[in-house]
Amino acid sequence: MKPSAFLSRHLRVYRRQLITSAVLQLEYRANVVTAILTGAIELAVTVATFQLLYQHSPTVAGWTKADVLVVAGFARILSSMLAFQVTPNMLDLPIKIMKGDLDLVLLRPVSTRFLVSTARMDLPQLLNVAIGAGWASFAVVEAGYRADVPGVLASIWLLSCGILLIYCVWFAISTTGFWLVKVGVIGELFFAVADASAYPVQFFKGAVRTFLTFVVPVAFVTTFPVEALHGRAAWEPLLVAPVLLLVAFACTQGFWRLGLRAYTSASS
Amino acid sequence: MRIARILWLRTAVEVARFTEFRGAILIWMLTLVGGPLILLMVWLRVADSGAHLVYDRSQLVSYFLLTMWSGMLMSVWIGSFVSDEIRLGMLSNRLLRPESPLNGYIANNLGEKVVKIPVLAVLVGLIAFGFRANLHVAGPPAAWLVAVVAVVPGAIINFMIDVVVGSTAFYFSNVNGLLAVRWLAGGLLAGYVAPLALFPDGVRHVLEWLPFRYTVSFPVEIVTTPLPATQIVRGLVVATAYCVVLWIAYRVIWRLGLREYAASGI
């Protein structure tokens, strides 16, 4: 198949998955209110936490309160994007493997990984993405950042790479479901990591900072994009992010194929 | 004591059941210690920035290490169970038994905590080792004893809030939003992100009169701040009062709610 035909087929499938999810969720309209309410409270809790932290000191690890309020917005974008598409599918994947439901996906003439990663989308979360982006923009203006075009582009670039990186990490963990039972619960660890994403990575030292930069790379989603908007970005993350992403994609793809080979349908 | 015997038996069953979930419990405990650990590192960073905090470094370390314990010992997860069982009609099974419908939930809560204790002990021990440079747990033994006692009303408050919020499902079809609000807002107001001593005075006075503080920080503050005797006594009285109020609220909601309850599909 030509690459363009491959791409357009997958885009069509993605659109269809999106519509299916939308139709399903229109049956549960109250969830929209719940999602926005919890999203707004999460943002409020983060902002209140920063109020507490900064009443004692004007800067922490080189970050002012105005700076970290921008980070809070990016952290909201991250958790909402994860909740939109990553969390539901990554929690479902080990169950599909365990129950043998993967059979139905394997038979389709589209990438299996693509199908299992896009099967469910929690559309109300897109409103939370918008709220996070709105808050981030507001905080950028309040902080008086330059936020020129290269800065904005760089931050969007880092944010996108970072979210895909985190997806890859979670995908690798869910893939272990081919060999282990009950890996779904590991997904809960991501909620703790999402907590850490609300703080600039410089707040942490040593091994924890390395972990948040390279292992579960939330730094690429929150800290680095904000630095880019501030105009004090180092250029390294801009280049490191896509390289890391390519490596992560290739590794998880290999791991996924290994897993598929071990797949024995419902008896696994 | 018939009720004590029933609870003992049912808790023993839950303990046996939950030892089957050792892997999951390890992950849950990692998640549980993750939050306080992040906040501890953040607050130590604030202290590094030259801030004059009411809590010094060793107090911060003890506070957040102990909130891992108080968070687990007073934790509760039944809000969504209660609401689901009401909504889906599974509550009928509990209603048919010649005992309080709460017994099963209480046993589940206690049983799971018994299994979690050794796992948490290992994790907190490892973290404490990591922070050994700032580890000075002082405080008179009497304060520790009172702190342990203060866990009991805190656990009851937390449990009864979940029961009351969950049982609004007698009237509303979806209470997940309400439960989420209770968790998110409650976490901040409970002293999960900071000891009450680090809140502005005005806010702190309000928090002392809300129930949430007693579900996380109160027992910890008794040994780390340490709280003076008058404040400990007042806190215990407030906490006990909340237990009574929530118990009455539960009785009222269930008495009225059971009239609305129609099981499933009827």
Side-chain angles (χ1 to χ4, degrees), chain B residues 4-243:
Chain B
R5 211 173 60 243
I6 291 176
L7 273 180
W8 178 261
L9 272 173
R10 300 201 62 171
T11 305
V13 171
E14 293 292 327
V15 170
R17 204 160 72 83
F18 273 103
T19 41
E20 291 297 316
F21 292 89
R22 290 174 299 258
I25 281 181
L26 176 63
I27 302 285
W28 287 334
M29 290 300 96
L30 281 171
T31 319
L32 184 135
V33 299
L37 184 60
I38 289 166
L39 287 159
L40 170 58
M41 289 186 287
V42 169
W43 276 107
L44 288 177
R45 208 74 173 119
V46 175
D48 285 343
S49 307
H52 290 287
L53 302 177
V54 190
Y55 263 47
D56 64 22
R57 296 180 71 89
S58 71
Q59 279 173 302
L60 286 172
V61 171
S62 341
Y63 183 82
F64 286 106
L65 287 184
L66 288 173
T67 53
M68 294 170 187
W69 275 109
S70 73
M72 190 282 275
L73 290 173
M74 295 190 269
S75 64
V76 57
W77 48 87
I78 61 149
S80 55
F81 290 4
V82 175
S83 68
D84 284 352
E85 290 188 8
I86 291 172
R87 194 164 44 86
L88 302 174
M90 292 180 295
L91 188 69
S92 308
N93 296 340
R94 292 190 195 275
L95 294 175
L96 286 173
R97 288 167 175 252
E99 58 168 353
S100 161
L102 288 190
N103 282 2
Y105 298 125
I106 296 172
N108 168 274
N109 191 284
L110 295 177
E112 197 166 320
K113 283 174 185 170
V114 169
V115 184
K116 283 173 176 174
I117 285 174
V119 182
L120 188 62
V122 172
L123 289 181
V124 175
L126 288 173
I127 294 168
F129 183 76
F131 287 95
R132 63 195 176 281
N134 288 303
L135 197 67
H136 296 287
V137 181
W144 282 85
L145 199 67
V146 178
V148 173
V149 172
V151 167
V152 177
I156 295 176
I157 291 175
N158 224 7
F159 186 85
M160 292 311 296
I161 291 179
D162 248 36
V163 171
V164 169
V165 175
S167 51
T168 53
F170 282 125
Y171 302 97
F172 309 112
S173 57
N174 186 343
V175 301
N176 290 337
L178 213 54
L179 283 167
V181 171
R182 166 243 197 294
W183 278 117
L184 289 166
L188 177 70
L189 306 178
Y192 177 80
V193 298
L196 255 59
L198 295 177
F199 279 72
D201 283 342
V203 181
R204 194 176 67 235
H205 293 314
V206 176
L207 294 188
E208 283 170 358
W209 293 102
L210 290 179
F212 303 107
R213 173 215 192 184
Y214 301 96
T215 65
V216 174
S217 78
F218 179 60
V220 180
E221 289 175 80
I222 290 176
V223 288
T224 56
T225 303
L227 289 183
T230 50
Q231 287 196 32
I232 296 177
V233 173
R234 197 185 61 191
L236 287 172
V237 171
V238 173
T240 314
Y242 268 114
C243 291

Side-chain angles (χ1 to χ4, degrees), chain A:
Chain A
M1 200 190 291
K2 277 193 306 195
S4 62
F6 180 82
L7 195 67
S8 79
R9 171 184 285 186
H10 281 79
L11 280 176
R12 273 203 322 277
V13 173
Y14 187 78
R15 188 170 150 261
R16 198 28 77 184
Q17 305 259 55
L18 205 62
I19 292 171
T20 313
S21 295
V23 170
L24 184 73
Q25 279 151 25
L26 277 173
E27 291 293 317
Y28 303 96
R29 285 177 290 265
N31 283 353
V32 176
V33 181
T34 311
I36 295 179
L37 193 67
T38 49
I41 292 176
E42 264 179 65
L43 180 60
V45 168
T46 312
V47 171
T49 307
F50 284 136
Q51 296 285 1
L52 274 181
L53 289 171
Y54 278 90
Q55 59 173 335
H56 304 286
S57 172
T59 58
V60 177
W63 290 75
T64 65
K65 188 159 99 179
D67 295 331
V68 294
L69 290 179
V70 184
V71 177
F74 276 83
R76 284 309 305 149
I77 298 176
L78 168 65
S79 21
S80 315
M81 282 300 284
L82 290 181
F84 164 57
Q85 192 180 326
V86 181
T87 317
N89 293 305
M90 291 306 106
L91 292 181
D92 270 0
L93 179 54
I95 300 173
K96 283 193 178 122
I97 296 171
M98 189 178 68
K99 290 191 173 170
D101 289 348
L102 202 62
D103 296 359
L104 303 171
V105 189
L106 284 168
L107 291 172
R108 311 266 163 92
V110 212
S111 153
T112 310
R113 175 178 184 171
F114 175 81
L115 276 183
V116 297
S117 303
T118 58
R120 250 174 9 114
M121 283 171 253
D122 191 358
L123 284 143
Q125 291 298 336
L126 287 180
L127 295 167
N128 278 332
V129 175
I131 291 174
W135 174 268
S137 320
F138 165 75
V140 161
V141 175
E142 284 288 296
Y145 284 0
R146 201 170 59 223
D148 48 5
V149 175
V152 173
L153 289 179
S155 74
I156 294 174
W157 168 250
L158 289 164
L159 181 76
S160 319
C161 289
I163 290 174
L164 287 171
L165 268 170
I166 292 171
Y167 151 73
C168 282
V169 176
W170 205 336
F171 183 71
I173 290 172
S174 293
T175 304
T176 60
F178 282 112
W179 298 277
L180 310 169
V181 240
K182 285 224 163 234
V183 287
V185 72
I186 296 177
E188 305 226 353
L189 278 178
F190 276 83
F191 297 118
V193 177
D195 279 353
S197 75
Y199 306 98
V201 73
Q202 287 85 359
F203 276 34
F204 305 101
K205 291 179 186 174
V208 177
R209 191 192 291 189
T210 313
F211 181 83
L212 294 175
T213 312
F214 294 108
V215 184
V216 185
V218 290
F220 282 94
V221 191
T222 58
T223 310
F224 299 153
V226 176
E227 286 176 334
L229 281 175
H230 199 175
R232 64 177 183 199
W235 53 270
E236 292 97 331
L238 289 173
L239 299 179
V240 171
V243 173
L244 272 181
L245 185 56
L246 278 178
V247 172
F249 238 94
C251 290
T252 50
Q253 193 63 23
F255 190 46
W256 170 246
R257 282 174 186 274
L258 214 63
L260 281 179
R261 228 181 291 162
Y263 180 64
T264 51
S265 192
S267 60
S268 60

